[in-house]
Each structure stands twice: as C-alpha cells, then as structure tokens.
Amino acid sequence: MNESISIANPDSAGLNLQQKLALATGSIGILILLVTIAGVHLNSNIFLPLSIAMLFAGAAWYAHASYGKQPEGIKNNGVYHAALTNKGAIAWAIGIVLTGFYVLLYWFPASLGLANESSSNTGIIALFDPLSQFFTGEPADQWFVYGTLYTVAILAMGYKFLLKYRHNRYQTIRTLSVMFFQLFTAYLIPQILEGMHDDKAYFAKDIKNIWPLNHYFFESWHLDNMLSGGSLGMFYLVFGIFLFAVGTPIFSYFYGKRWYCSWVCGCGGLAETAGDPFRHNSTKTLRSWKIERWMVHGVLLLITIVTIVVLYGYFTNSDRFLGLSIYEYFTRPYGFVIGAAFSGVAGVGFYPILGNRVWCRFGCPLAAYIGLFQRFKSRFRITTNGDQCISCGNCSTYCEMGIDVKAYAQRGQNIVRSSCVGCGICSAVCPRGVLKLENGPEEGRFNHNPELVGKLHEPKAFGISDQK
Ligand code: SF4
Ligand code: SF4
C-alpha cells in the first residue's frame, strides 16, 4: 500500500537513491564517533577530520538530493508518514540515544574517556584532542567535544535548512545569522581567546550568552574570574550586564523576541536547523499553553531569586543565606535541574518527540524575560489578513512554539504572543500570504476586532481569551 496522501505525486513518500547514499555517508561519520564511545581507539589525526567531513558531506548531499531540483516552495512531504518525524520507532530511538549521550556528557564524562589526574584522554574525548591542542594547546574535555559537535550540527543542518527554504529571503538571512554567531562568537572566538590567554582566569566564553540564560554569570567564582581577567575580563563583565539591562530591552522593543531567539541564540540555532524536521511535533493544546506560561515564568522567578541570593553572598562575603549554604541549596540545584537536566538533556534529547523548542518554550528564563517586552512593550507583531485565510492550518502545524496561528488568522487578529520567537515559518508556509512579521508603531498592535468567525464565537473557544 502506498501511504502517501499526495494526489500529485504519490511516490514521493519514499527516499530516492541519492538520499539513501547521502544518509549512508553521514552515518559513517556518526559511526566513527560511536565506535570511539564504545572504547575503540582510532587515530585522531585521520578519523576526526574524516568523521566531520562525512557528516558535512552527508548533510549537503541529502539536502541537494531532497530540495536541489525542486521548484519554489517549502516541501514537508511525508512528515506525518515517516517514523523519524512522526514520533515513530526511529524518533524514539534517536531521542533515547541523544538523551543518553547528554546524561553521559553532563554526569559521567569519564565514561566518554575524560582523563583523570593520572591518565590521559581516551574514547571520543581523545578523538578531539588534536583539534583542542590546535586551538588552546590543551587536551580536549567533554565541553570541547560538545561545543564542536554542536557547531557541526548547526552548520551541517543549517546548510540543509538553507536549501529547503532558499526561496524565502527572511529564512535565508536569519539562518546565516545563527550559523555565523554559533561559529564565531560561541565557538571560534572563545577557543582562540583561551589559547591566547591561558595565563588569565576563565571568563564567560560565549559573549552573547546573556543572563539569565547564562545562569552562573553572577556567581562569585565567575565574577572574580572576570574581574581578575584583565581588560578582556572587564569587557565581558560590562558587556554582559549591558546586554541584559539595556541591550535586550532596546532590541526587543524594536524587533521583538526574534532578534535573539531566531537570529543569535545557540539554543535557537540548533532548534531551527537540526530541529527543523520536528517543529510540527510541538503540542498546540490550550493546556500546554497554560503549563508553558507557568513553567517558563516560574524558571525566570527562580533564577532571579537564586541570583539575588548569590549577589547577597558575594557582597557580604558569605557563603550562607539565612543559615543555608548558597551552593548546596541554591546554585547547585538550579544548575542541576534547569541548567543541565532541562536545557541540555530534555531540551535537545527530546526534539524528535516533543518538538524542537521544548526548552525555549517551557524552560528558558531569557525567553521569558524577552517575552515580557515582546508582549507589553514592543513594536513587533504578526499581522493577519484574515479575509485571505483558507484555514489550511499550515501555519499552526509548523509553529514550533505551539501557537494556534490559524485561529488568529481566521479572526484577522494580530499575533502578539510572548512566546512567538519570530521564526517566520508560519508566514513562509502560508499559501495565501496572510501572515506578515512587522515592526510597526506600537499603536494598533492589539486589535480586538475579529472579522470572521470571531463574530460567531467567544474568544475563549479558540484558546486566546487573554488577548487584551
Ligand atoms: S507564530 Fe510564526 S513566527 Fe511565531 S513562533 Fe510560531 S511559526 Fe514562528
Ligand atoms: S497557513 Fe495561511 S491560509 Fe493556511 S490557515 Fe494559516 S493563515 Fe490561513
């Protein structure tokens, strides 16, 4: 039985030969990494470049085989029939493997081959030693391995994204933007600086990683390290505070949340590129929206309290607050539950099951912070030309933040939701040009004059009752 529901080309549900060969190529790159995790020693000078080259070649080949000769338009053919993208067996297998890898990375790095005091690296960490030596003169650790693989994933899958959405200028530019920020500010510049300043104390590596996403920014050890890190450390301290207190409100006023979440952020970068095949798996229920609001703002409140306590300890030169150890009762639990388990393990490991923006939507305190500006003091909105909407539902289906865009479009109502990351995919996949991302004047942002079905139904029926 042919499972495709396409009338025009029912055979398009399967993979063609080129796609299969491309997948095999990329799989060899992954296999090399898995073999080293299993404890097999490989020559790093040969197999690390080989693995990375196979990953890039496989992704590029697959992208060309999938989208290269296609006419204009975004193709999501078969996403509800493939086991990878419809929460089938492959999705679960990848989810479990990814989650397991994150667990080892965060809590059992020795099992990946991280050296102890009396030994040198083995396993996958040893595979990355020559590259780490090249940048910093030091052997690799688990974070170098993670950062390198993270960057490779964004660049390789970013190339695939660029081909898939190549007829859309907004998608092209913002994807090049996240690839640029990941490669330079998150990866290359920190590595080069570390190599040049090995005599200086450690300071925040990725300069665009703003508090409260960077939850340790105000912790004593980090403040001390920046303060003793010379002019560069001082620059990181001042710039980090400026970005949080001044830059973020100003940028968010003019551009909404998208300037960070869809153009700059590393978490957003991975979600938009490697996570793109899973964006339709985000839940759209009203219940999930309620949970999302409580959770994401709860995490923001939590990190605010933790940071106040941390600063209290720093300025009073005490490691206790109300008799409680600041490390044991505040910073460590937050770092474990939110910083590691939620943002890393669940946030990325569960892409294939829960969609690509689980962390951004339910847990990121910076997204919550920027979202407050987007909701209440911003020029950004998505306008909807409701008369043109044919209720196809593409926009809601592919909204990674679970926003029921169609409900707004049908009513001709502007979308000013705090959770919208301004990815623009709803607009890109709309066949009628109904949706437009705009940075207009504040006046008229909140329009309460539903044009079509709104006249027949109370807003609550569409789950948008808090639109004031
Ligand atoms: S509403 Fe549109 S722009 Fe906003 S997150 Fe959803 S798909 Fe992206
Ligand atoms: S994609 Fe466009 S036409 Fe389809 S439901 Fe959304 S706004 Fe309406």
Side-chain angles (χ1 to χ4, degrees), residues 21 44 61 74 76 102 106 110 125 133 146 198 209 236 247 249 253 264 292 330 361 366 368 375 385 399:
L21 290 173
S44 303
W61 192 358
I74 297 161
N76 282 310
Y102 269 88
Y106 276 93
I125 297 187
Q133 294 277 3
Y146 177 56
D198 56 354
N209 197 7
Y236 270 63
Y253 173 73
V264 172
E292 161 197 324
F330 293 92
R361 186 178 169 190
L366 182 56
R375 183 73 173 84
N385 180 2
C399 175

Side-chain angles (χ1 to χ4, degrees), residues 14-31:
L15 295 176
N16 60 40
L17 180 62
Q18 297 270 338
Q19 288 171 313
K20 287 174 186 168
L21 290 173
L23 278 179
T25 305
S27 299
I28 293 172
I30 293 172
L31 192 62

